[in-house]
Amino acid sequence: MSERKDMEIIAEMVPPGSRVLDLGCGNGELLAYLRDTRRCSGYGIEIADDNVLACTRRGVNVIQLNLEEGLAMFEDQSFDVVLQLDTMQHLRNTERMLRETARVGRIGIVSFPNFAHWANRLRVASGRMPVTKALPYEWYNTPNIRVGTYADFEVLARKDGLRVLDSFGIQNGQAVRRWPNLMASVAVFKFERS
């Protein structure tokens, strides 16, 4: 989560005073923002040493953990909100971590690059993999293990018994609710267990 406006849009989805777990929290910017503007508390999970240090410097509680190992250290419904922002596409077992997100939190919020965005489709139609702000890597150096679309996540959520509470896309710092599968480079979903 790097774009300030995108971060503010996501933060608005988190109820004030929530206990938050941020999976793949990066440098802790969003957790610090939630703490400072919405009176939230909680933890970040991060694997990269530099990001763990950045979180600590921001005063953000952080646990260094590989998400591929799961969230067994947390009890069911330990958090009001579990964030999984720009993380799902990096995981080998995306579905397992989605179920863990729903188990550990009352509400889950996920975001990921929307591979069905028109700019990505155009690039693929021209014979090349997309390189955009939301997908900033070449095919050979990307940390993304997989790509998905807005519609793909809806199918997975239904399959795993999740009830989508809100969904939209983000494009250029604006929420996109009309045709988000085509018009938004980032997909965002807020959900709970059914």
Side-chain angles (χ1 to χ4, degrees), residues 49-116:
D49 293 338
D50 291 345
N51 284 336
V52 170
L53 181 58
C55 287
T56 303
R57 288 184 176 147
R58 278 196 160 96
V60 169
N61 297 318
V62 62
I63 300 167
Q64 192 165 25
L65 179 71
N66 182 345
L67 289 175
E68 297 290 357
E69 297 171 9
L71 301 175
M73 67 187 308
F74 299 108
E75 294 182 21
D76 293 0
Q77 307 294 290
S78 300
F79 295 89
D80 299 311
V81 178
V82 176
L83 303 171
Q84 197 179 149
L85 310 176
D86 201 26
T87 302
M88 288 177 44
Q89 71 274 11
H90 304 288
L91 299 174
R92 295 206 180 281
N93 199 333
T94 300
E95 188 175 11
R96 176 178 170 226
M97 187 50 61
L98 183 62
R99 286 192 303 264
E100 282 286 272
T101 296
R103 179 188 67 77
V104 170
R106 290 174 179 80
I107 295 172
I109 299 173
V110 298
S111 72
F112 53 90
N114 178 21
F115 202 71

Side-chain angles (χ1 to χ4, degrees), residues 4-188:
R4 183 68 176 195
K5 193 66 178 155
D6 292 3
M7 183 176 70
E8 291 171 0
I9 291 169
I10 298 292
E12 285 296 316
M13 299 174 76
V14 178
S18 292
R19 184 164 158 77
V20 177
L21 180 64
D22 188 353
L23 306 177
C25 68
N27 64 17
E29 182 181 13
L30 178 58
L31 278 172
Y33 182 82
L34 289 169
R35 176 195 64 212
D36 298 344
T37 64
R38 300 187 70 78
R39 302 174 333 275
C40 294
S41 63
Y43 295 91
I45 303 290
E46 181 56 47
I47 193 168
D49 293 338
D50 291 345
N51 284 336
V52 170
L53 181 58
C55 287
T56 303
R57 288 184 176 147
R58 278 196 160 96
V60 169
N61 297 318
V62 62
I63 300 167
Q64 192 165 25
L65 179 71
N66 182 345
L67 289 175
E68 297 290 357
E69 297 171 9
L71 301 175
M73 67 187 308
F74 299 108
E75 294 182 21
D76 293 0
Q77 307 294 290
S78 300
F79 295 89
D80 299 311
V81 178
V82 176
L83 303 171
Q84 197 179 149
L85 310 176
D86 201 26
T87 302
M88 288 177 44
Q89 71 274 11
H90 304 288
L91 299 174
R92 295 206 180 281
N93 199 333
T94 300
E95 188 175 11
R96 176 178 170 226
M97 187 50 61
L98 183 62
R99 286 192 303 264
E100 282 286 272
T101 296
R103 179 188 67 77
V104 170
R106 290 174 179 80
I107 295 172
I109 299 173
V110 298
S111 72
F112 53 90
N114 178 21
F115 202 71
H117 182 237
W118 70 267
N120 296 336
R121 290 177 183 210
L122 186 61
R123 181 76 177 194
V124 170
S126 73
R128 300 284 311 276
M129 289 298 289
V131 177
T132 65
K133 194 183 292 186
L135 291 165
Y137 304 96
E138 294 288 344
W139 68 271
Y140 54 84
N141 68 0
T142 182
N144 297 324
I145 294 172
R146 64 191 84 257
V147 292
T149 71
Y150 191 92
D152 288 331
F153 185 84
E154 289 177 325
V155 170
L156 179 59
R158 264 192 313 275
K159 177 183 174 284
D160 283 348
L162 304 176
R163 186 167 67 98
V164 174
L165 303 171
D166 193 8
S167 63
F168 55 91
I170 297 178
Q171 181 65 30
N172 298 324
Q174 300 291 320
V176 175
R177 293 190 180 275
R178 188 169 180 179
W179 303 314
N181 208 33
L182 295 173
M183 304 307 290
S185 60
V186 175
V188 179

